[in-house]
Amino acid sequence: MKHIYLSWYDTEELISKLVFKLNTPYDAILVVTRGGIIPGGMIAEALRMKEVLTASVLFTEDPHNQTLLSWPRFLQFPSDPLLTGRKILVVDNLWYRGRTIMAVKGRIETAGGYPEMAVLHWKKESSIFPDQEPDFYGEITDDFIHYPWQ
């Protein structure tokens, strides 16, 4: 696996490429902490959107049991009335296994919202959701990506 170090210029180019793919307009952007905060903010700025929501999701893993079946714990999430009947762009930097963004998608759908998922990088081969994919992505990769804000 290669290590790729993105510059701010690289990131801006990737976000610009992603913005032109989006199915705009959206009622709100929901950024997934922590990796989605900066790209989500940049996308919100590009789309001149003011309503930016945040979601913080934690999966606890037992170090002795390498299972991926733990339930998500939502440390922070918008209330249902902010999501119901609304088209929401969910932004994260990376879809690795897909657990976090799929948990966010499911919670928005349960609230009656309409999520669309956007990531800068999709690690298609490592996803545990073979029948699911982001609605929009900048690039497919197997590399280890280092973002400039890390």
Side-chain angles (χ1 to χ4, degrees):
M1 172 179 3
K2 284 187 345 190
H3 285 255
I4 306 294
Y5 294 85
L6 294 181
S7 68
W8 283 108
Y9 177 80
D10 298 332
T11 303
E12 288 176 18
E13 289 295 308
L14 194 56
I15 287 173
S16 292
K17 183 170 132 181
L18 184 58
V19 164
F20 285 107
K21 295 178 182 180
L22 297 176
N23 183 22
T24 58
Y26 293 95
D27 296 309
I29 292 180
L30 189 146
V31 299
V32 179
T33 66
R34 296 176 325 211
I37 291 174
I38 291 175
M42 293 171 78
I43 291 169
E45 185 69 25
L47 298 178
R48 295 192 168 130
M49 291 191 64
K50 302 280 186 210
E51 192 163 349
V52 180
L53 310 169
T54 58
S56 181
V57 184
L58 178 66
F59 285 91
T60 55
E61 293 186 23
D62 181 350
H64 306 292
N65 181 9
Q66 296 298 316
T67 183
L68 299 175
L69 301 177
S70 65
W71 287 99
R73 203 168 108 209
F74 294 95
L75 304 176
Q76 180 179 4
F77 208 85
S79 62
D80 288 359
L82 294 173
L83 306 171
T84 305
R86 302 181 81 203
K87 184 176 164 188
I88 309 292
L89 178 64
V90 179
V91 179
D92 206 350
N93 62 327
L94 175 70
W95 175 311
Y96 172 51
R97 291 182 176 143
R99 293 190 317 162
T100 301
I101 203 161
M102 290 301 292
V104 169
K105 176 185 180 194
R107 182 128 176 215
I108 293 169
E109 289 173 338
T110 299
Y114 306 99
E116 292 187 359
M117 302 171 293
V119 295
L120 297 181
H121 292 95
W122 178 25
K123 290 194 170 195
K124 186 177 182 177
E125 296 302 317
S126 62
S127 178
I128 60 172
F129 297 91
D131 297 336
Q132 297 287 323
E133 63 183 54
D135 297 294
F136 311 100
Y137 55 89
E139 296 176 344
I140 296 175
T141 188
D142 288 324
D143 299 325
F144 190 93
I145 306 296
H146 298 268
Y147 297 96
W149 56 87
Q150 294 177 314

